[in-house]
Amino acid sequence: MTSPAPAAQDTELSEDTADTTSGVPRSRRARWLEAIRPYAPDLGICLLFLLLAGWLTHGMWPDPGARTLALNPEDQVLYEWFLATDARALLGDFGLLTDRLNAPDGVNLMANTTVIALGVLFAPITLVFGVATTFALLVAGNLGITAVAWYLLFRRVLGTHRLAAALGGGFCGFAPGMISQTNSHLHMTALWLVPVMVWLVVRLVRAADPDGRPDRPGPDRRRVVTSGVGLAATVTAQVFVGEEVLFLTALTLIIMTIAYGVTDRALLRRVLPGFATGLAVAVGLAGLALAYPLWFQFAGPQSVPNGMFSPYYFSADLASWVAISPLSIGGSNEAARLTTGPAEYNTFLGWPLLLVTLAAVVWLLRYPARRPLLIAVTVSGVLMAALSLGPDLVVNGERTSVPGPYSLLLGLPVVDGALPMRFALALIPLVATVLVLALDRALRTGTRLPRILVPAVVVAALLPIFPAPLPTAARPALPTFITGEHWRDCVPPGGVMVPVPLPTPKEPWAMRWGAAANAEFGMPEGFFIGPYSARGKASMGTYKQATSALLAEVAKTGVVPEITDEHRQRARQDVEFWNASCVVLASDAPHLESLRTALEDLFGPGTRIADAWTWKVG
């Protein structure tokens, strides 16, 4: 007996398969593979970037808590503490003024580079796996994801050849300045929102162009508005990732926009009304969203009225531009004298890359198609490079009397918060753009010589600055008193613990305790930017109380001074000022016995808890 109804197994097969063209059933897996096949090369390139980032930072794995970035361990402690404090937002305990450091005054998080957005975004990882894991993921992720973001911009927005876009994205993610800043400067390497901002500006220009839609003349007002809204959202997010990056990006884009408009006046006249409208939307919305945080940063509690660092000290040496970074495979340690430290090799592009970039600019100027973009990029690069030289020109370590362009910006609000030598970081995507345009032109031409010669020359120029893995080192294990949560027997959550010796900007090690405990307790003093210089100007850290100064000297020398009643009275006043509950001396402290003797003379007999001595004082 037959029936027109399908059998049960046929029904199941028809639900799990598709017969779109040939009549041959295809599994869901096959359909999925077919859907992603066009994107497979892009996915492969992005995966390669992530793998390279993992290899460069492999010294931090598999135990991030036991490893440190050897060239800047102090800032690693600082950023781990920031991330732990930021993560408390997930627990409903967060404000722009934190009381978990510098008790009792606290720390203005907006006046410090606290990467709030990253800390909140990675809060689940911090709370589950620990802040050291979050830090290690961000160190690697910032490199890889920045490369991915620039690759997608070059590939999708500029429409360049895939190999050209891959090289440009890789350079943006792994240039010497990026590798150098990766030594604990998370706010300077989280650049993956910058390509988004550039894309939104390009989208806004295209939407504002009345000739951009042949089928419907006139600007695309909807895209003008949505581009403005998107730009406002991205700018707002970047403020909570890194304001210095936002400042450098905005300045570079302003210069590029002016240079592009002067080069292509016809386009400028067409797009200016719509572009201004979209920009007004972006500025208005971002202004509303950021009004309170920016007020808090510049006028709120513990705010500072000026930049922390001297532009004369943090100026790029002219000779550093042709040098190879010591963190590159072709570099040497001798070049390190041309900058302030291993986290500031921002200008070390090397003479081969500079020559090739200059040659590429000259060659590309012959072709009119992208000449306005090339001119805008070149003008921006020259100006940002000049600004990086600081107020006075420094050549091969010698300061001259020749003023630099930056001298025109001295004392300007906001500008003094950016280090001159970091203006050079803007050249990374600018140089990458020139290389991408040159490679794209060469790879798309029908002439065999440019297709071989240009890629070969570019790769040869980049090889010396290919990054080496970041140096790492072991760091001391945290006290069991902290990791085993024995601290809860000494200080209540939200209370203040006094670690001995107290943390300072040069020796912030006790801040690891607070970071490991997810900032559940506070501590006095520490490593941060606050208003403790003369007339409320910016300072690194705060002044020491008499008791912390005494204990710091004992930790340094091992010599215990005669403890008098005056010392004891001042110690009681200091712990009262700090609102402290407990004083803690871990067993790995320097000159342990001397410190214990001093503390017992100040506070009486201590109590042993796990691997620490404690004195309850509140």
Side-chain angles (χ1 to χ4, degrees):
M1 184 175 179
T2 61
S3 168
Q9 62 269 29
D10 294 332
T11 302
E12 293 174 1
L13 183 62
S14 65
E15 292 175 353
D16 192 51
T17 61
D19 185 3
T20 58
T21 54
S22 62
V24 178
R26 292 181 295 128
S27 66
R28 288 178 179 173
R29 180 173 180 271
R31 297 202 308 274
W32 182 76
L33 290 174
E34 182 177 341
I36 69 169
R37 187 173 292 116
Y39 306 103
D42 296 328
L43 292 173
I45 290 169
C46 294
L47 179 60
L48 183 63
F49 289 149
L50 296 177
L51 290 175
L52 177 57
W55 175 70
L56 291 173
T57 60
H58 73 270
M60 302 192 71
W61 304 96
D63 185 4
R67 306 294 296 174
T68 187
L69 292 168
L71 301 181
N72 195 6
E74 295 86 358
D75 277 358
Q76 178 171 343
V77 172
L78 174 66
Y79 278 91
E80 286 179 346
W81 188 88
F82 284 157
L83 292 168
T85 303
D86 299 337
R88 298 202 61 77
L90 201 65
L91 305 175
D93 178 18
F94 183 80
L96 296 181
L97 180 74
T98 180
D99 60 357
R100 303 306 162 88
L101 194 64
N102 189 37
D105 295 341
V107 173
N108 186 317
L109 296 182
M110 291 299 298
N112 287 262
T113 55
T114 44
V115 291
I116 293 173
L118 300 182
V120 174
L121 182 64
F122 280 77
I125 294 175
T126 299
L127 297 176
V128 174
F129 299 103
V131 72
T133 300
T134 295
F135 180 86
L137 285 172
L138 287 170
V139 166
N142 283 346
L143 294 175
I145 298 174
T146 295
V148 168
W150 281 107
Y151 166 72
L152 294 176
L153 181 78
F154 292 135
R155 178 68 178 150
R156 301 297 179 184
V157 178
L158 281 184
T160 58
H161 191 283
R162 180 176 284 114
L163 292 180
L167 184 141
F171 181 72
C172 287
F174 304 100
M178 284 289 290
I179 299 301
S180 174
Q181 293 290 334
T182 296
N183 285 293
S184 300
H185 290 171
L186 297 182
H187 66 301
M188 297 304 300
T189 59
L191 303 184
W192 25 268
L193 284 178
V194 175
V196 178
M197 285 185 268
V198 175
W199 166 65
L200 287 166
V201 171
V202 173
R203 185 176 186 265
L204 177 57
V205 170
R206 291 174 177 174
D209 189 354
D211 296 345
R213 298 184 300 171
D215 55 328
R216 296 179 59 188
D220 188 338
R221 292 180 175 83
R222 183 183 65 83
R223 288 171 67 86
V224 165
V225 173
T226 56
S227 297
V229 172
L231 191 57
T234 309
V235 165
T236 301
Q238 183 63 49
V239 165
F240 295 101
V241 175
E243 290 178 89
E244 193 169 354
V245 166
L246 178 60
F247 169 76
L248 296 176
T249 302
L251 181 58
T252 306
L253 286 175
I254 289 171
I255 297 172
M256 284 190 66
T257 301
I258 294 172
Y260 200 110
V262 171
T263 306
D264 192 343
R265 293 184 179 85
L267 176 66
L268 177 62
R269 286 191 294 268
R270 293 200 310 270
V271 306
L272 187 56
F275 183 80
T277 300
L279 202 59
V281 170
V283 172
L285 292 177
L288 287 174
L290 295 170
Y292 177 72
L294 292 179
W295 171 85
F296 200 93
Q297 175 178 348
F298 294 107
Q302 295 297 103
S303 61
V304 295
N306 64 306
M308 177 69 234
F309 305 102
S310 168
Y312 290 93
Y313 180 73
F314 288 97
S315 299
D317 192 311
L318 185 62
S320 67
W321 284 99
V322 297
I324 306 295
S325 167
L327 300 179
S328 300
I329 60 172
S332 67
N333 291 330
E334 183 182 353
R337 65 183 179 82
L338 298 175
T339 189
T340 60
E344 300 294 347
Y345 297 138
N346 306 318
T347 52
F348 289 60
L349 295 180
W351 63 264
L353 181 57
L354 292 178
L355 287 178
V356 168
T357 303
L358 178 61
V361 169
V362 174
W363 179 56
L364 289 170
L365 283 173
R366 300 167 50 199
Y367 304 98
R370 283 176 166 159
R371 189 176 295 158
L373 174 60
L374 182 67
I375 292 174
V377 166
T378 303
V379 170
S380 302
V382 170
L383 288 177
M384 296 300 281
L387 288 170
S388 75
L389 300 176
D392 296 329
L393 199 63
V394 178
V395 183
N396 203 26
E398 298 293 330
R399 185 171 299 279
T400 71
S401 59
V402 179
Y406 188 89
S407 60
L408 301 174
L409 307 179
L410 280 175
L412 289 180
V414 179
V415 176
D416 66 355
L419 307 186
M421 59 171 48
R422 290 183 182 172
F423 281 62
L425 295 173
L427 269 79
I428 294 175
L430 298 176
V431 169
T433 302
V434 173
L435 298 180
V436 168
L437 293 178
L439 285 169
D440 182 67
R441 168 63 62 177
L443 293 172
R444 294 183 187 276
T445 184
T447 308
R448 184 177 182 182
L449 183 60
R451 295 181 64 183
I452 297 175
L453 182 61
V454 173
V457 169
V458 170
V459 170
L462 291 174
L463 277 178
I465 61 171
F466 191 84
L470 287 165
T472 58
R475 61 176 172 178
L478 288 165
T480 304
F481 177 79
I482 297 296
T483 58
E485 298 194 349
H486 299 289
W487 61 267
R488 297 184 186 278
D489 297 331
C490 189
V491 57
V496 175
M497 174 195 296
V498 181
V500 178
L502 277 78
T504 66
K506 291 185 178 181
E507 295 185 337
W509 318 124
M511 288 171 60
R512 290 182 63 202
W513 299 8
N518 295 321
E520 287 197 54
F521 56 80
M523 59 180 63
E525 303 179 11
F527 183 10
F528 63 95
I529 294 175
Y532 293 103
S533 288
R535 299 184 302 280
K537 295 289 186 70
S539 65
M540 188 64 73
T542 183
Y543 45 80
K544 283 187 169 295
Q545 300 296 324
T547 304
S548 60
L550 183 153
L551 295 173
E553 186 65 20
V554 174
K556 180 180 178 180
T557 64
V559 176
V560 182
E562 181 182 354
I563 303 298
T564 66
D565 288 341
E566 183 179 351
H567 288 113
R568 297 185 187 94
Q569 181 180 1
R570 185 55 195 265
R572 288 193 294 271
Q573 292 173 349
D574 287 341
V575 296
E576 183 178 349
F577 169 74
W578 292 326
N579 295 322
S581 301
C582 183
V583 176
V584 178
L585 175 67
S587 59
D588 62 350
H591 298 295
L592 174 65
E593 291 305 320
S594 297
L595 283 171
R596 182 184 167 192
T597 299
L599 287 166
E600 288 183 339
D601 285 346
L602 289 171
F603 301 110
T607 301
R608 180 82 174 192
I609 303 179
D611 55 352
W613 289 92
T614 65
W615 288 262
K616 288 194 175 183
V617 293

